Amino acid sequence: MTFLLSILTISRMKILRRKSDVLNDNLVEHDEERFTDDSNDNVQDVPEDVIEDNSLITFNQHSGSIFCCDVNHLCELCATGGEDDLVFVWNIDTGNVIFRCDGHKDSVTQTSFSKDSKYLVTGDLVGLLKVWNVCDGKLVWEY
């Protein structure tokens, strides 16, 4: 099974692709666009040439930018870390949070599952490393 994970530098965003942007199965990226009515700042109908968002799951629990992610070897869990000093471990199929890793002192820039997916290591910009037990979500070690 193949997954495509896209990490955005903002925590909540709706991505719209225009039909003209998909040529020969290649996607051309564009800056975020917002369609508003200048008179009262209401969002207008999306133009006809915008393709519907076909994302399977959108994870938006972080309150800031997401800087890293990792998927476990069974492709069932994803760990994301971000600007909010948090790591969320969540189910890829449902988007439900399995557990939250607290206690980092700065933005989390690294998440990595062990080969057997029993442990998750997380690291932040201060240099703090934490190892979590994936089965129960408890902190095992920190340095």
PDB file of all heavy atoms in Angstrom, residues 57-62 76-80 86-102 134 137:
ATOM      1  N   ILE A  57      -7.768  11.632   4.359  1.00  0.00           N
ATOM      2  CA  ILE A  57      -7.786  12.087   5.750  1.00  0.00           C
ATOM      3  C   ILE A  57      -7.125  13.459   5.814  1.00  0.00           C
ATOM      4  O   ILE A  57      -6.105  13.683   5.181  1.00  0.00           O
ATOM      5  CB  ILE A  57      -7.003  11.130   6.667  1.00  0.00           C
ATOM      6  CG1 ILE A  57      -7.657   9.757   6.738  1.00  0.00           C
ATOM      7  CG2 ILE A  57      -6.849  11.701   8.068  1.00  0.00           C
ATOM      8  CD1 ILE A  57      -8.933   9.694   7.527  1.00  0.00           C
ATOM      9  N   THR A  58      -7.714  14.358   6.573  1.00  0.00           N
ATOM     10  CA  THR A  58      -7.077  15.627   6.880  1.00  0.00           C
ATOM     11  C   THR A  58      -6.926  15.691   8.390  1.00  0.00           C
ATOM     12  O   THR A  58      -7.911  15.581   9.118  1.00  0.00           O
ATOM     13  CB  THR A  58      -7.917  16.815   6.385  1.00  0.00           C
ATOM     14  OG1 THR A  58      -8.082  16.707   4.977  1.00  0.00           O
ATOM     15  CG2 THR A  58      -7.249  18.134   6.721  1.00  0.00           C
ATOM     16  N   PHE A  59      -5.686  15.817   8.847  1.00  0.00           N
ATOM     17  CA  PHE A  59      -5.418  15.863  10.283  1.00  0.00           C
ATOM     18  C   PHE A  59      -5.117  17.299  10.660  1.00  0.00           C
ATOM     19  O   PHE A  59      -4.183  17.895  10.149  1.00  0.00           O
ATOM     20  CB  PHE A  59      -4.236  14.950  10.627  1.00  0.00           C
ATOM     21  CG  PHE A  59      -3.989  14.843  12.096  1.00  0.00           C
ATOM     22  CD1 PHE A  59      -4.807  14.057  12.884  1.00  0.00           C
ATOM     23  CD2 PHE A  59      -2.962  15.539  12.689  1.00  0.00           C
ATOM     24  CE1 PHE A  59      -4.602  13.963  14.244  1.00  0.00           C
ATOM     25  CE2 PHE A  59      -2.741  15.452  14.048  1.00  0.00           C
ATOM     26  CZ  PHE A  59      -3.559  14.658  14.829  1.00  0.00           C
ATOM     27  N   ASN A  60      -5.909  17.866  11.572  1.00  0.00           N
ATOM     28  CA  ASN A  60      -5.748  19.284  11.905  1.00  0.00           C
ATOM     29  C   ASN A  60      -5.754  19.548  13.409  1.00  0.00           C
ATOM     30  O   ASN A  60      -6.249  20.559  13.862  1.00  0.00           O
ATOM     31  CB  ASN A  60      -6.820  20.116  11.207  1.00  0.00           C
ATOM     32  CG  ASN A  60      -8.216  19.691  11.567  1.00  0.00           C
ATOM     33  OD1 ASN A  60      -8.414  18.852  12.432  1.00  0.00           O
ATOM     34  ND2 ASN A  60      -9.196  20.263  10.904  1.00  0.00           N
ATOM     35  N   GLN A  61      -5.173  18.648  14.190  1.00  0.00           N
ATOM     36  CA  GLN A  61      -5.134  18.823  15.636  1.00  0.00           C
ATOM     37  C   GLN A  61      -4.051  19.800  16.096  1.00  0.00           C
ATOM     38  O   GLN A  61      -4.138  20.343  17.190  1.00  0.00           O
ATOM     39  CB  GLN A  61      -4.913  17.476  16.334  1.00  0.00           C
ATOM     40  CG  GLN A  61      -6.053  16.510  16.160  1.00  0.00           C
ATOM     41  CD  GLN A  61      -7.319  17.014  16.829  1.00  0.00           C
ATOM     42  OE1 GLN A  61      -7.304  17.390  17.998  1.00  0.00           O
ATOM     43  NE2 GLN A  61      -8.406  17.037  16.086  1.00  0.00           N
ATOM     44  N   HIS A  62      -3.015  20.015  15.284  1.00  0.00           N
ATOM     45  CA  HIS A  62      -1.944  20.934  15.668  1.00  0.00           C
ATOM     46  C   HIS A  62      -2.449  22.377  15.604  1.00  0.00           C
ATOM     47  O   HIS A  62      -3.223  22.739  14.726  1.00  0.00           O
ATOM     48  CB  HIS A  62      -0.736  20.773  14.743  1.00  0.00           C
ATOM     49  CG  HIS A  62       0.038  19.522  14.987  1.00  0.00           C
ATOM     50  ND1 HIS A  62       0.961  19.389  15.995  1.00  0.00           N
ATOM     51  CD2 HIS A  62       0.015  18.332  14.348  1.00  0.00           C
ATOM     52  CE1 HIS A  62       1.476  18.183  15.969  1.00  0.00           C
ATOM     53  NE2 HIS A  62       0.920  17.513  14.980  1.00  0.00           N
ATOM     54  N   GLU A  76      -0.201   1.935   9.639  1.00  0.00           N
ATOM     55  CA  GLU A  76      -1.461   2.131  10.350  1.00  0.00           C
ATOM     56  C   GLU A  76      -1.436   3.364  11.250  1.00  0.00           C
ATOM     57  O   GLU A  76      -2.480   3.916  11.563  1.00  0.00           O
ATOM     58  CB  GLU A  76      -1.811   0.896  11.174  1.00  0.00           C
ATOM     59  CG  GLU A  76      -0.783   0.584  12.247  1.00  0.00           C
ATOM     60  CD  GLU A  76      -1.043  -0.718  12.980  1.00  0.00           C
ATOM     61  OE1 GLU A  76      -1.904  -1.487  12.544  1.00  0.00           O
ATOM     62  OE2 GLU A  76      -0.362  -0.949  13.995  1.00  0.00           O
ATOM     63  N   LEU A  77      -0.233   3.790  11.674  1.00  0.00           N
ATOM     64  CA  LEU A  77      -0.101   4.944  12.549  1.00  0.00           C
ATOM     65  C   LEU A  77       0.795   5.994  11.919  1.00  0.00           C
ATOM     66  O   LEU A  77       1.751   5.668  11.217  1.00  0.00           O
ATOM     67  CB  LEU A  77       0.510   4.539  13.897  1.00  0.00           C
ATOM     68  CG  LEU A  77      -0.252   3.550  14.750  1.00  0.00           C
ATOM     69  CD1 LEU A  77       0.541   3.208  15.997  1.00  0.00           C
ATOM     70  CD2 LEU A  77      -1.636   4.076  15.120  1.00  0.00           C
ATOM     71  N   CYS A  78       0.497   7.244  12.222  1.00  0.00           N
ATOM     72  CA  CYS A  78       1.333   8.361  11.787  1.00  0.00           C
ATOM     73  C   CYS A  78       1.617   9.219  13.013  1.00  0.00           C
ATOM     74  O   CYS A  78       0.741   9.409  13.860  1.00  0.00           O
ATOM     75  CB  CYS A  78       0.605   9.185  10.727  1.00  0.00           C
ATOM     76  SG  CYS A  78       1.614  10.521  10.060  1.00  0.00           S
ATOM     77  N   ALA A  79       2.843   9.704  13.116  1.00  0.00           N
ATOM     78  CA  ALA A  79       3.224  10.620  14.196  1.00  0.00           C
ATOM     79  C   ALA A  79       3.617  11.941  13.556  1.00  0.00           C
ATOM     80  O   ALA A  79       4.452  11.977  12.656  1.00  0.00           O
ATOM     81  CB  ALA A  79       4.385  10.054  15.000  1.00  0.00           C
ATOM     82  N   THR A  80       2.997  13.028  13.999  1.00  0.00           N
ATOM     83  CA  THR A  80       3.303  14.351  13.471  1.00  0.00           C
ATOM     84  C   THR A  80       3.770  15.250  14.608  1.00  0.00           C
ATOM     85  O   THR A  80       3.246  15.193  15.716  1.00  0.00           O
ATOM     86  CB  THR A  80       2.071  14.998  12.798  1.00  0.00           C
ATOM     87  OG1 THR A  80       0.974  14.994  13.712  1.00  0.00           O
ATOM     88  CG2 THR A  80       1.688  14.250  11.533  1.00  0.00           C
ATOM     89  N   LEU A  86       4.142  19.874  20.318  1.00  0.00           N
ATOM     90  CA  LEU A  86       3.401  18.639  20.551  1.00  0.00           C
ATOM     91  C   LEU A  86       3.672  17.612  19.456  1.00  0.00           C
ATOM     92  O   LEU A  86       4.020  17.967  18.321  1.00  0.00           O
ATOM     93  CB  LEU A  86       1.896  18.904  20.585  1.00  0.00           C
ATOM     94  CG  LEU A  86       1.386  19.778  21.712  1.00  0.00           C
ATOM     95  CD1 LEU A  86      -0.091  20.078  21.502  1.00  0.00           C
ATOM     96  CD2 LEU A  86       1.624  19.124  23.047  1.00  0.00           C
ATOM     97  N   VAL A  87       3.458  16.355  19.821  1.00  0.00           N
ATOM     98  CA  VAL A  87       3.450  15.250  18.857  1.00  0.00           C
ATOM     99  C   VAL A  87       2.113  14.544  19.018  1.00  0.00           C
ATOM    100  O   VAL A  87       1.665  14.294  20.141  1.00  0.00           O
ATOM    101  CB  VAL A  87       4.598  14.253  19.126  1.00  0.00           C
ATOM    102  CG1 VAL A  87       4.481  13.038  18.216  1.00  0.00           C
ATOM    103  CG2 VAL A  87       5.946  14.927  18.932  1.00  0.00           C
ATOM    104  N   PHE A  88       1.473  14.252  17.904  1.00  0.00           N
ATOM    105  CA  PHE A  88       0.252  13.456  17.921  1.00  0.00           C
ATOM    106  C   PHE A  88       0.529  12.156  17.187  1.00  0.00           C
ATOM    107  O   PHE A  88       1.107  12.159  16.094  1.00  0.00           O
ATOM    108  CB  PHE A  88      -0.902  14.188  17.217  1.00  0.00           C
ATOM    109  CG  PHE A  88      -1.429  15.362  17.981  1.00  0.00           C
ATOM    110  CD1 PHE A  88      -0.992  16.642  17.698  1.00  0.00           C
ATOM    111  CD2 PHE A  88      -2.369  15.187  18.985  1.00  0.00           C
ATOM    112  CE1 PHE A  88      -1.476  17.737  18.390  1.00  0.00           C
ATOM    113  CE2 PHE A  88      -2.859  16.277  19.689  1.00  0.00           C
ATOM    114  CZ  PHE A  88      -2.415  17.550  19.388  1.00  0.00           C
ATOM    115  N   VAL A  89       0.117  11.052  17.795  1.00  0.00           N
ATOM    116  CA  VAL A  89       0.146   9.759  17.125  1.00  0.00           C
ATOM    117  C   VAL A  89      -1.299   9.454  16.790  1.00  0.00           C
ATOM    118  O   VAL A  89      -2.173   9.454  17.665  1.00  0.00           O
ATOM    119  CB  VAL A  89       0.748   8.662  18.024  1.00  0.00           C
ATOM    120  CG1 VAL A  89       0.688   7.307  17.329  1.00  0.00           C
ATOM    121  CG2 VAL A  89       2.198   9.015  18.385  1.00  0.00           C
ATOM    122  N   TRP A  90      -1.565   9.230  15.501  1.00  0.00           N
ATOM    123  CA  TRP A  90      -2.939   9.071  15.062  1.00  0.00           C
ATOM    124  C   TRP A  90      -3.080   7.944  14.048  1.00  0.00           C
ATOM    125  O   TRP A  90      -2.122   7.530  13.411  1.00  0.00           O
ATOM    126  CB  TRP A  90      -3.487  10.389  14.522  1.00  0.00           C
ATOM    127  CG  TRP A  90      -2.643  11.108  13.519  1.00  0.00           C
ATOM    128  CD1 TRP A  90      -1.556  11.896  13.770  1.00  0.00           C
ATOM    129  CD2 TRP A  90      -2.816  11.113  12.100  1.00  0.00           C
ATOM    130  NE1 TRP A  90      -1.054  12.396  12.602  1.00  0.00           N
ATOM    131  CE2 TRP A  90      -1.797  11.932  11.552  1.00  0.00           C
ATOM    132  CE3 TRP A  90      -3.723  10.511  11.239  1.00  0.00           C
ATOM    133  CZ2 TRP A  90      -1.676  12.157  10.190  1.00  0.00           C
ATOM    134  CZ3 TRP A  90      -3.603  10.741   9.878  1.00  0.00           C
ATOM    135  CH2 TRP A  90      -2.599  11.552   9.374  1.00  0.00           C
ATOM    136  N   ASN A  91      -4.293   7.433  13.952  1.00  0.00           N
ATOM    137  CA  ASN A  91      -4.616   6.326  13.062  1.00  0.00           C
ATOM    138  C   ASN A  91      -4.779   6.849  11.639  1.00  0.00           C
ATOM    139  O   ASN A  91      -5.563   7.773  11.412  1.00  0.00           O
ATOM    140  CB  ASN A  91      -5.899   5.638  13.548  1.00  0.00           C
ATOM    141  CG  ASN A  91      -6.268   4.448  12.714  1.00  0.00           C
ATOM    142  OD1 ASN A  91      -6.618   4.583  11.551  1.00  0.00           O
ATOM    143  ND2 ASN A  91      -6.194   3.277  13.320  1.00  0.00           N
ATOM    144  N   ILE A  92      -4.070   6.250  10.709  1.00  0.00           N
ATOM    145  CA  ILE A  92      -4.113   6.713   9.318  1.00  0.00           C
ATOM    146  C   ILE A  92      -5.484   6.484   8.682  1.00  0.00           C
ATOM    147  O   ILE A  92      -5.952   7.288   7.885  1.00  0.00           O
ATOM    148  CB  ILE A  92      -3.005   6.038   8.483  1.00  0.00           C
ATOM    149  CG1 ILE A  92      -1.652   6.623   8.861  1.00  0.00           C
ATOM    150  CG2 ILE A  92      -3.254   6.191   6.984  1.00  0.00           C
ATOM    151  CD1 ILE A  92      -0.479   6.021   8.141  1.00  0.00           C
ATOM    152  N   ASP A  93      -6.149   5.396   9.039  1.00  0.00           N
ATOM    153  CA  ASP A  93      -7.445   5.079   8.431  1.00  0.00           C
ATOM    154  C   ASP A  93      -8.575   5.980   8.910  1.00  0.00           C
ATOM    155  O   ASP A  93      -9.463   6.333   8.143  1.00  0.00           O
ATOM    156  CB  ASP A  93      -7.819   3.620   8.699  1.00  0.00           C
ATOM    157  CG  ASP A  93      -6.903   2.650   7.979  1.00  0.00           C
ATOM    158  OD1 ASP A  93      -6.440   2.982   6.862  1.00  0.00           O
ATOM    159  OD2 ASP A  93      -6.644   1.570   8.526  1.00  0.00           O
ATOM    160  N   THR A  94      -8.545   6.347  10.197  1.00  0.00           N
ATOM    161  CA  THR A  94      -9.663   7.109  10.768  1.00  0.00           C
ATOM    162  C   THR A  94      -9.333   8.561  11.084  1.00  0.00           C
ATOM    163  O   THR A  94     -10.237   9.384  11.209  1.00  0.00           O
ATOM    164  CB  THR A  94     -10.141   6.446  12.074  1.00  0.00           C
ATOM    165  OG1 THR A  94      -9.092   6.526  13.043  1.00  0.00           O
ATOM    166  CG2 THR A  94     -10.545   4.990  11.843  1.00  0.00           C
ATOM    167  N   GLY A  95      -8.044   8.875  11.284  1.00  0.00           N
ATOM    168  CA  GLY A  95      -7.649  10.218  11.700  1.00  0.00           C
ATOM    169  C   GLY A  95      -7.778  10.435  13.194  1.00  0.00           C
ATOM    170  O   GLY A  95      -7.495  11.526  13.690  1.00  0.00           O
ATOM    171  N   ASN A  96      -8.206   9.417  13.938  1.00  0.00           N
ATOM    172  CA  ASN A  96      -8.371   9.534  15.390  1.00  0.00           C
ATOM    173  C   ASN A  96      -7.019   9.563  16.089  1.00  0.00           C
ATOM    174  O   ASN A  96      -6.116   8.802  15.742  1.00  0.00           O
ATOM    175  CB  ASN A  96      -9.197   8.374  15.942  1.00  0.00           C
ATOM    176  CG  ASN A  96     -10.632   8.415  15.462  1.00  0.00           C
ATOM    177  OD1 ASN A  96     -11.163   9.473  15.144  1.00  0.00           O
ATOM    178  ND2 ASN A  96     -11.262   7.259  15.400  1.00  0.00           N
ATOM    179  N   VAL A  97      -6.922  10.422  17.108  1.00  0.00           N
ATOM    180  CA  VAL A  97      -5.696  10.515  17.902  1.00  0.00           C
ATOM    181  C   VAL A  97      -5.601   9.298  18.814  1.00  0.00           C
ATOM    182  O   VAL A  97      -6.542   8.995  19.555  1.00  0.00           O
ATOM    183  CB  VAL A  97      -5.683  11.816  18.744  1.00  0.00           C
ATOM    184  CG1 VAL A  97      -4.474  11.843  19.668  1.00  0.00           C
ATOM    185  CG2 VAL A  97      -5.686  13.035  17.836  1.00  0.00           C
ATOM    186  N   ILE A  98      -4.450   8.612  18.775  1.00  0.00           N
ATOM    187  CA  ILE A  98      -4.188   7.476  19.649  1.00  0.00           C
ATOM    188  C   ILE A  98      -3.622   7.991  20.972  1.00  0.00           C
ATOM    189  O   ILE A  98      -4.081   7.607  22.034  1.00  0.00           O
ATOM    190  CB  ILE A  98      -3.200   6.481  18.998  1.00  0.00           C
ATOM    191  CG1 ILE A  98      -3.684   6.064  17.599  1.00  0.00           C
ATOM    192  CG2 ILE A  98      -2.966   5.271  19.895  1.00  0.00           C
ATOM    193  CD1 ILE A  98      -5.023   5.389  17.566  1.00  0.00           C
ATOM    194  N   PHE A  99      -2.619   8.865  20.893  1.00  0.00           N
ATOM    195  CA  PHE A  99      -2.120   9.554  22.073  1.00  0.00           C
ATOM    196  C   PHE A  99      -1.364  10.808  21.666  1.00  0.00           C
ATOM    197  O   PHE A  99      -1.008  10.992  20.508  1.00  0.00           O
ATOM    198  CB  PHE A  99      -1.275   8.646  22.985  1.00  0.00           C
ATOM    199  CG  PHE A  99       0.017   8.147  22.389  1.00  0.00           C
ATOM    200  CD1 PHE A  99       1.213   8.828  22.581  1.00  0.00           C
ATOM    201  CD2 PHE A  99       0.042   6.962  21.674  1.00  0.00           C
ATOM    202  CE1 PHE A  99       2.406   8.352  22.048  1.00  0.00           C
ATOM    203  CE2 PHE A  99       1.230   6.469  21.141  1.00  0.00           C
ATOM    204  CZ  PHE A  99       2.410   7.164  21.326  1.00  0.00           C
ATOM    205  N   ARG A 100      -1.172  11.678  22.660  1.00  0.00           N
ATOM    206  CA  ARG A 100      -0.482  12.952  22.465  1.00  0.00           C
ATOM    207  C   ARG A 100       0.775  12.949  23.324  1.00  0.00           C
ATOM    208  O   ARG A 100       0.739  12.553  24.484  1.00  0.00           O
ATOM    209  CB  ARG A 100      -1.413  14.084  22.882  1.00  0.00           C
ATOM    210  CG  ARG A 100      -0.863  15.462  22.628  1.00  0.00           C
ATOM    211  CD  ARG A 100      -1.912  16.472  22.949  1.00  0.00           C
ATOM    212  NE  ARG A 100      -1.575  17.097  24.224  1.00  0.00           N
ATOM    213  CZ  ARG A 100      -2.130  18.201  24.662  1.00  0.00           C
ATOM    214  NH1 ARG A 100      -3.075  18.799  23.970  1.00  0.00           N
ATOM    215  NH2 ARG A 100      -1.771  18.715  25.802  1.00  0.00           N
ATOM    216  N   CYS A 101       1.887  13.394  22.743  1.00  0.00           N
ATOM    217  CA  CYS A 101       3.166  13.461  23.455  1.00  0.00           C
ATOM    218  C   CYS A 101       3.406  14.899  23.889  1.00  0.00           C
ATOM    219  O   CYS A 101       3.603  15.783  23.060  1.00  0.00           O
ATOM    220  CB  CYS A 101       4.305  12.994  22.555  1.00  0.00           C
ATOM    221  SG  CYS A 101       4.079  11.348  21.858  1.00  0.00           S
ATOM    222  N   ASP A 102       3.391  15.131  25.203  1.00  0.00           N
ATOM    223  CA  ASP A 102       3.611  16.458  25.787  1.00  0.00           C
ATOM    224  C   ASP A 102       5.020  16.563  26.344  1.00  0.00           C
ATOM    225  O   ASP A 102       5.709  15.563  26.497  1.00  0.00           O
ATOM    226  CB  ASP A 102       2.632  16.710  26.934  1.00  0.00           C
ATOM    227  CG  ASP A 102       1.194  16.741  26.482  1.00  0.00           C
ATOM    228  OD1 ASP A 102       0.918  17.330  25.431  1.00  0.00           O
ATOM    229  OD2 ASP A 102       0.351  16.184  27.207  1.00  0.00           O
ATOM    230  N   VAL A 134       4.693   2.982  22.217  1.00  0.00           N
ATOM    231  CA  VAL A 134       3.547   3.172  21.327  1.00  0.00           C
ATOM    232  C   VAL A 134       2.314   2.426  21.839  1.00  0.00           C
ATOM    233  O   VAL A 134       1.187   2.873  21.635  1.00  0.00           O
ATOM    234  CB  VAL A 134       3.906   2.738  19.881  1.00  0.00           C
ATOM    235  CG1 VAL A 134       2.696   2.783  18.972  1.00  0.00           C
ATOM    236  CG2 VAL A 134       5.009   3.641  19.326  1.00  0.00           C
ATOM    237  N   GLY A 137       1.441   4.739  25.140  1.00  0.00           N
ATOM    238  CA  GLY A 137       1.617   6.186  25.032  1.00  0.00           C
ATOM    239  C   GLY A 137       2.417   6.811  26.161  1.00  0.00           C
ATOM    240  O   GLY A 137       2.444   8.026  26.296  1.00  0.00           O
TER     241      GLY A 137
END
